[in-house]
């Protein structure tokens, strides 16, 4: 089953790959959301806009206007395509925004809602005869691009799917290597189904199918037309090309087959491809002639090899600054479309085209040889890695050979010993018997010594096992890994030596058995010969036991070495534990000191808080005292008012009794009362806080006193009346 890539957006070198957006509406919705997010971020970053220069601000507004304009164009595509075709071409020449490029390309070539899109999944289930060729060339298509450079990546997989599907749809063309670069560019912008539909449209409606046919007749016609343009516009350069036998196909065939994708930097080629989607192959003729005009002076001074190097290395770097310069120069080239359509090949030209096809085949063969050379280079890199691995294996093999040579030397020594024994048989039997007895005694002494040493080693092993059992275990293997590496190496060497020793013992036993088989018939002659043979047998058996004892001694030493290593490991663990304990104690002391400092700071803060509370209480008491004084003053003023009113009433009574006019006296009293009331109001305004219960009691006392005096004055007046 075909697996579609995830619905994500990739941005590679200014290219946008939108996976999962199958319709223009979805693309426009995504772009409008991104536009709104850009506007929101612009509004939220006022300080950064103030600090930026006016040029960058104008550029951001221009980009925003471009997005809005292209969004309207896509939404109203049919009307714009019919009524504003010239304005649309001008916008395409200035460059399609990369977020709109996928949908605009589909609209330009009318690749939406194609019936073949529904057959795509079925085509992927079929088998194509070109699959091996496609697989071989996949890694060579955009080898440095992030989307395609990983082996078996998503980019390589979808590129293979599209090329395979088209090779099944158009079996006459099948697969051509240059077409993979065009499909790769489409896949950088859109999902594989849409890329497949656009590629089918390009092959059918943009002359690409004729270019990629096996006969390549259309490519020969393009080469002829381009050469005619060079002859017309650049006659000196054309004569130089003719003099150097520098044919147009040697540098321009890839321009037409890949639309500059393999010759120019990818951003520049993408801008040219925008115009190609709108205007067709005309832009290839224009840009090609503009490139030749820009480099005419340099090319005239070069030979064939120099011109090839100039086209491959110098011209691409001239376009690193951007495509605007070359596009502007391309549209200054005089291009007659009718004349180009009427330019056809004569019989001589057809013959030339056949020669041209042969030349292309030759060039193709040379390219294949170069590819094979590159594959050999990559194979050399692989072989270098294998050589490094072989070196490690050889080094290990040399170690094994050295061990084998040592074993062979020991075997030769054993053979010499056997030959000496055979020579001793020819000597007088008495001397040989005495010699064998002495060797037997020495061998038994050595055996006894080895047994004693073995017992001592076993006792040491038991002691070390007891000592290790008392040590604490540590399960942290990661800390001991470095220490165990050396131990394992020594253990491997010891085991290898032990195996060699045991192999030597077995070889000696085999040699001894063969020796017994050869000498059995000789020793049946006399009793002395039988005694000699017994002694030799016993000597050989003693030597064998000695070898076994040495092997066992080695094994015991190895075990002791392991126990010593374990003891060292446990000692290191104890040392590390003590260091950690000391660090923890130091940390506890530090924390205790910090805790004491914090307690002191806390006590100081509490003391300051208490002082602040005392000050605040004193201030509150002072405020309350001031309020009480104000209230007392108000009470005194009210008492004065009451006294004046009493005097007023008394004056009225006396005036009535004396039948005199006291109006002036009454007005004076009223004025004094009004002033006192005004002062009382001012006193009330200055008092902002609510008086306490004690102040209320004072006010009640003065009010009671006022009414009491007023009642006494009233009684006095009544009494006088």
């Amino acid at each position: 089953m075909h697996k579609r890539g995830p619905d994500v957006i990739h941005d590679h070198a200014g290219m946008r790959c939108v996976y999962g957006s199958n319709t223009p509406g979805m693309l426009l919705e995504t772009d409008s959301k991104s536009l709104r997010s850009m506007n929101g971020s612009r509004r939220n970053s006022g300080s950064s806009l103030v600090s930026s220069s006016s040029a960058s601000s104008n550029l951001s507004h221009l980009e925003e206007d471009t997005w809005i304009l292209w969004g309207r164009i896509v939404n109203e595509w049919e009307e714009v395509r019919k009524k504003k075709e010239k304005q649309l071409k001008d916008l395409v020449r200035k460059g399609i925004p990369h977020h709109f490029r996928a949908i605009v390309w589909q609209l330009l070539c009318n690749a939406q809602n194609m019936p073949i899109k529904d057959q795509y999944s079925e085509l992927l289930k079929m088998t194509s005869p070109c699959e091996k060729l496609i697989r071989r060339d996949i890694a060579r298509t955009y080898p440095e691009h992030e989307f395609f450079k990983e082996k078996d990546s998503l980019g390589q997989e979808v590129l293979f799917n599209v090329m395979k599907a088209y090779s099944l749809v158009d079996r006459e063309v099948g697969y051509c290597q240059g077409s993979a670069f065009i499909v790769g560019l489409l896949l950088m912008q859109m999902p594989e189904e849409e890329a497949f539909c656009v590629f089918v449209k390009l092959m059918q409606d943009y002359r690409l199918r004729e270019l990629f046919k096996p006969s390549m007749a259309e490519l020969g016609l393009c080469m002829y037309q381009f050469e005619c343009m060079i002859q017309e516009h650049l006659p000196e350069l054309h004569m130089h090309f003719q003099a150097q036998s520098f044919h147009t196909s040697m540098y321009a065939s890839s321009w037409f087959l890949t639309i500059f994708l393999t010759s120019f930097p990818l951003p520049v080629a993408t801008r040219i491809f925008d115009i190609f989607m709108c205007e067709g192959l005309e832009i290839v003729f224009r840009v090609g002639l503009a490139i030749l005009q820009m480099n005419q002076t340099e090319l005239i001074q070069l030979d064939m090899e120099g011109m090839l190097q100039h086209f491959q290395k110098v011209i691409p770097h001239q376009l690193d600054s951007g495509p605007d310069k070359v596009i502007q120069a391309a549209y200054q080239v005089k291009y007659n479309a009718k004349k180009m359509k009427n330019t056809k090949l004569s019989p001589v030209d057809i013959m030339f085209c056949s020669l041209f096809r042969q030349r292309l085949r030759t060039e193709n063969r040379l390219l294949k040889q170069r590819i094979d050379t590159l594959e050999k280079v990559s194979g050399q890199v692989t072989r270098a890695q294998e050589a490094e691995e072989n070196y490690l294996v050889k080094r290990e093999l040399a170690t094994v050979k050295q061990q084998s040579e040592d074993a062979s030397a020991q075997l030769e020594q054993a053979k010499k010993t056997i030959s000496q024994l055979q020579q001793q048989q020819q000597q007088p039997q008495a001397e040989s018997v005495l010699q064998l007895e002495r060797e037997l005694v020495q061998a038994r002494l050595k055996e006894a010594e080895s047994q004693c040493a073995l017992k001592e080693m076993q006792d040491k092993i038991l002691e070390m096992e007891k000592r290790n059992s008392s040590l604490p275990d540590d399960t942290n293997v990661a800390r001991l890994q470095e220490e165990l590496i050396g131990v394992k190496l020594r253990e491997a060497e010891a085991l290898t030596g032990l195996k060699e020793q045991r192999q030597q013992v077995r070889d000696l036993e085999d040699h001894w058995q063969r020796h017994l088989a050869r000498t059995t018939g000789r020793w049946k002659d006399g009793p002395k010969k039988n005694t000699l043979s017994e002694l030799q047998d016993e000597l050989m058996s003693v030597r064998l036991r000695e070898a076994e004892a040495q092997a066992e001694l080695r094994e015991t030493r190895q075990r002791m070495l392991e126990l010593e290593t374990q003891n060292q490991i446990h000692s290191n663990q104890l040392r590390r534990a003590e260091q950690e304990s000391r660090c923890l104690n130091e940390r506890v002391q530090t924390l205790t000191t910090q805790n004491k400092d914090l307690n002191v700071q806390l006590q100081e803060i509490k003391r300051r808080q208490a002082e602040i509370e005392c000050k605040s209480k004193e201030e509150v008491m002072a405020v309350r005292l001031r309020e009480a004084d104000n209230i007392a003053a108000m009470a005194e003023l009210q008492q004065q008012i009451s006294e004046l009113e009493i005097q007023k009433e008394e004056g009225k009574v006396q005036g009535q009794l004396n039948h005199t006019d006291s109006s002036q006296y009454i007005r004076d009293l009223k004025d004094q009362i009004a002033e006192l009331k005004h002062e009382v109001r001012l006193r009330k305004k200055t008092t902002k806080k609510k008086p306490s219960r004690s102040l209320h009691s004072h006010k009640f006392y003065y009010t009671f006193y006022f009414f009491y005096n007023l009642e006494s004055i009233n009684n006095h007046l009544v009494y006088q009346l």
Side-chain angles (χ1 to χ4, degrees):
M1 294 296 291
H2 169 57
K3 296 182 179 179
R4 181 171 177 159
D7 295 345
V8 297
I9 297 174
H10 302 279
D11 201 346
H12 303 293
M15 304 302 162
R16 188 184 187 200
C17 304
V18 185
Y19 286 91
S21 56
N22 296 328
T23 62
M26 298 176 67
L27 277 173
L28 287 176
E29 182 180 359
T30 305
D31 293 329
S32 61
K33 288 180 180 178
S34 61
L35 180 60
R36 287 196 296 271
S37 64
M38 287 175 61
N39 294 334
S41 63
R42 185 178 291 108
R43 289 193 297 270
N44 294 330
S45 58
S47 61
S48 62
L49 283 175
V50 171
S51 63
S52 63
S53 64
S54 61
S56 61
S57 177
N58 294 333
L59 183 61
S60 62
H61 287 296
L62 180 60
E63 183 179 358
E64 179 180 351
D65 296 338
T66 304
W67 277 47
I68 296 173
L69 177 60
W70 276 102
R72 291 176 180 174
I73 289 173
V74 172
N75 286 326
E76 303 171 358
W77 178 258
E78 295 297 333
E79 183 179 356
V80 172
R81 189 68 182 271
K82 293 178 181 179
K83 299 181 180 180
K84 299 180 180 180
E85 185 175 1
K86 187 176 183 302
Q87 291 85 343
L88 179 62
K89 285 185 178 181
D90 292 338
L91 286 174
V92 172
R93 291 173 185 176
K94 293 178 182 178
I96 303 173
H98 62 272
H99 289 83
F100 289 92
R101 187 164 278 138
I103 183 63
V104 172
W105 283 2
Q106 295 179 49
L107 293 171
L108 284 171
C109 65
N110 296 322
Q112 291 180 315
N113 302 322
M114 291 181 63
I116 199 170
K117 183 177 181 181
D118 299 331
Q119 304 175 11
Y120 181 74
S121 58
E122 297 297 329
L123 291 171
L124 295 182
K125 298 176 183 178
M126 301 169 64
T127 303
S128 172
C130 304
E131 288 187 9
K132 291 184 179 179
L133 293 175
I134 297 172
R135 285 289 184 192
R136 185 191 65 183
D137 293 337
I138 285 296
R140 304 169 186 167
T141 305
Y142 299 111
E144 298 180 356
H145 198 280
E146 291 292 335
F147 192 49
F148 298 103
K149 70 178 183 179
E150 296 293 336
K151 186 179 180 181
D152 298 329
S153 62
L154 175 63
Q156 291 191 3
E157 188 64 26
V158 295
L159 180 58
F160 172 79
N161 291 339
V162 176
M163 299 308 302
K164 172 187 172 182
Y166 185 79
S167 67
L168 292 169
V169 170
D170 190 352
R171 294 185 180 271
E172 181 183 0
V173 174
Y175 166 72
C176 187
Q177 185 180 8
S179 60
F181 289 93
I182 298 175
V183 175
L185 179 63
L186 296 176
L187 289 172
M188 295 178 199
Q189 314 297 329
M190 62 191 74
E192 54 182 302
E193 292 88 347
E194 283 78 358
F196 173 69
C197 295
V198 172
F199 183 64
V200 171
K201 274 290 184 181
L202 292 177
M203 295 293 284
Q204 293 175 354
D205 301 341
Y206 286 74
R207 297 173 62 185
L208 291 184
R209 185 175 184 276
E210 302 299 325
L211 288 175
F212 288 119
K213 276 186 177 181
S215 63
M216 290 189 175
E218 190 71 15
L219 181 60
L221 177 60
C222 290
M223 294 295 101
Y224 176 71
Q225 292 173 345
F226 189 61
E227 189 171 357
C228 292
M229 289 183 66
I230 298 173
Q231 186 177 5
E232 179 182 356
H233 295 89
L234 304 172
E236 295 180 1
L237 184 62
H238 180 263
M239 292 176 61
H240 179 68
F241 284 168
Q242 293 292 330
Q244 295 291 330
S245 298
F246 192 63
H247 300 286
T248 311
S249 61
M250 299 177 70
Y251 61 92
S253 58
S254 62
W255 293 355
F256 287 87
L257 290 174
T258 63
I259 321 299
F260 300 103
L261 290 171
T262 58
S263 304
F264 292 173
L266 191 57
V268 178
T270 306
R271 282 283 304 277
I272 296 173
F273 202 85
D274 289 341
I275 304 173
F276 169 74
M277 295 292 294
C278 184
E279 302 179 16
L281 282 176
E282 176 183 341
I283 187 61
V284 181
F285 288 98
R286 288 181 175 275
V287 172
L289 197 62
I291 290 293
L292 294 179
Q293 287 177 348
M294 293 166 62
N295 294 270
Q296 181 179 3
T297 306
E298 293 83 359
L299 291 173
I300 289 176
Q301 299 174 0
L302 299 173
D303 58 359
M304 179 188 292
E305 189 66 27
M307 287 188 288
L308 282 175
Q309 294 294 327
H310 191 83
F311 276 104
Q312 293 175 1
K313 296 181 179 180
V314 178
I315 291 178
H317 291 294
Q318 292 177 353
L319 303 175
D320 289 338
S321 59
D324 295 330
K325 182 178 178 181
V326 69
I327 291 175
Q328 185 178 2
Y331 281 99
Q332 292 177 357
V333 172
K334 294 181 180 180
Y335 180 85
N336 192 339
K338 294 182 179 180
K339 184 177 179 181
M340 294 295 291
K341 288 182 180 180
N342 294 328
T343 303
K344 296 182 180 179
L345 294 175
S346 63
V348 177
D349 296 329
I350 294 173
M351 183 177 65
F352 172 76
C353 287
S354 64
L355 296 175
F356 169 72
R357 286 195 295 272
Q358 293 178 2
R359 189 181 300 114
L360 284 180
R361 293 191 184 98
T362 304
E363 291 178 358
N364 192 15
R365 185 172 65 254
L366 294 175
L367 288 174
K368 287 183 178 179
Q369 291 177 359
R370 291 184 181 178
I371 290 169
D372 294 336
T373 304
L374 291 175
E375 289 178 349
K376 288 179 182 178
V377 171
S378 63
Q380 289 176 0
V381 175
T382 306
R383 284 194 294 274
Q385 295 176 353
E386 293 176 355
E388 186 177 359
E389 296 176 356
N390 290 334
Y391 171 74
L392 297 175
V393 174
K394 286 180 180 179
R395 190 171 62 181
E396 295 177 358
L397 182 60
T399 305
V400 174
K401 284 183 178 180
Q402 184 64 33
Q403 296 173 356
S404 177
E405 290 176 358
D406 295 337
S408 299
Q410 293 176 0
L411 182 60
E412 291 295 332
Q413 185 67 29
K415 288 181 179 180
K416 289 180 181 179
T417 305
I418 294 171
S419 63
Q420 290 176 1
L421 290 173
Q422 291 177 355
Q423 291 176 1
Q424 289 174 2
Q425 290 179 2
Q426 298 175 1
Q427 294 177 358
Q429 296 180 356
E431 294 180 359
S432 61
V433 170
L434 293 174
Q435 183 67 24
L436 290 172
E437 286 179 353
R438 286 195 295 271
E439 291 179 358
L440 180 61
V441 171
Q442 292 176 358
R444 286 181 177 176
L445 289 174
K446 288 181 180 179
E447 184 179 2
E449 290 176 357
S450 63
Q451 288 180 356
C452 292
L454 182 62
K455 288 182 180 179
E456 290 178 359
M457 298 295 288
Q458 289 177 352
D459 294 337
K460 287 183 179 180
I461 289 170
L462 292 174
E463 290 179 0
M464 294 183 72
E465 287 180 350
K466 290 180 181 179
R467 192 182 303 166
N468 290 334
S469 62
S470 62
L471 293 174
D473 295 330
D474 188 2
T475 59
N476 192 358
V477 181
R479 293 181 178 178
L480 302 177
Q481 186 174 5
E482 295 180 357
E483 298 176 1
L484 290 178
I485 291 174
V487 176
K488 288 182 179 180
L489 292 174
R490 292 196 297 272
E491 182 181 1
E493 292 176 358
L495 291 175
T496 304
L498 182 61
K499 290 180 181 179
E500 292 175 356
Q501 188 68 25
R502 289 180 177 175
Q503 183 65 34
Q504 292 173 7
V505 171
R506 287 194 294 270
D507 293 339
L508 288 173
E509 288 180 353
D510 295 337
H511 286 295
W512 175 245
Q513 293 298 329
R514 288 195 296 270
H515 175 70
L516 289 177
R518 287 196 302 268
T519 57
T520 301
R522 299 178 184 176
W523 294 347
K524 292 182 179 179
D525 296 335
K528 292 183 178 181
K529 293 183 178 180
N530 293 333
T531 304
L532 179 61
S533 62
E534 289 176 359
L535 289 173
Q536 289 177 348
D537 294 341
E538 188 172 0
L539 177 60
M540 186 59 67
S541 60
V542 167
R543 287 182 177 176
L544 292 173
R545 286 196 298 273
E546 181 182 0
E548 291 177 353
Q550 288 179 356
E552 189 174 359
L553 181 60
R554 283 189 180 182
E555 188 174 359
T556 306
R557 286 178 179 173
Q558 177 64 25
R559 190 175 177 187
M560 184 180 69
L561 182 61
E562 292 176 357
L563 292 174
E564 287 178 353
T565 304
Q566 292 179 2
N567 188 13
Q568 184 179 1
I569 291 170
H570 286 297
S571 300
N572 292 334
Q573 292 173 358
L574 288 174
R575 186 170 62 256
R576 285 194 294 270
E578 290 176 356
Q579 291 177 356
E580 291 178 357
S581 177
R582 285 196 296 271
C583 292
L584 290 174
N585 290 330
E586 292 176 357
R587 187 175 179 184
V588 168
Q589 291 177 359
T590 304
L591 293 174
T592 304
T593 306
Q594 293 178 357
N595 191 13
K596 289 180 180 179
D597 295 338
L598 291 174
N599 288 329
V600 171
Q601 293 177 4
L602 182 62
Q603 294 295 331
E604 182 66 21
I605 291 170
K606 287 182 178 179
R607 184 182 62 78
R608 291 178 181 176
Q609 185 178 4
E611 291 178 356
I612 292 170
E613 289 178 353
C614 292
K615 289 181 180 180
S616 62
K617 288 180 180 179
E618 291 176 357
E619 292 176 356
V620 170
M621 291 299 296
V623 170
R624 289 181 178 178
L625 289 174
R626 286 195 296 271
E627 289 178 356
D629 293 339
N630 291 331
I631 292 170
M634 289 172 60
E636 290 177 358
L637 292 173
Q638 289 177 355
Q639 184 178 2
Q640 291 178 6
I641 291 169
S642 61
E643 289 177 356
L644 291 172
E645 289 178 350
I646 291 170
Q647 291 177 6
K648 175 184 174 183
E649 294 296 331
E650 288 178 352
K652 287 181 180 181
V653 172
Q654 289 178 1
Q656 291 175 0
L657 292 175
N658 296 328
H659 299 282
T660 61
D661 187 8
S662 59
S663 59
Q664 184 64 35
Y665 178 70
I666 291 171
R667 282 195 298 271
D668 294 337
L669 288 177
K670 285 183 178 180
D671 293 336
Q672 291 179 3
I673 290 170
E675 290 176 358
L676 290 173
K677 285 183 178 181
H678 178 68
E679 188 175 356
V680 168
R681 283 195 298 272
L682 292 176
R683 289 283 184 176
K684 285 183 179 180
K685 288 181 181 179
T686 56
T687 306
K688 294 181 179 180
K689 293 186 178 180
K690 185 178 180 181
S692 60
R693 293 183 63 184
S694 60
L695 299 181
H696 281 291
S697 62
H698 285 292
K699 186 176 181 180
F700 175 77
Y701 171 76
Y702 288 119
T703 305
F704 175 76
Y705 179 75
F706 170 75
F707 282 108
Y708 176 76
N709 290 334
L710 185 62
E711 186 178 0
S712 61
I713 292 169
N714 190 17
N715 293 330
H716 179 68
L717 291 173
V718 171
Y719 177 73
Q720 287 182 358
L721 291 172

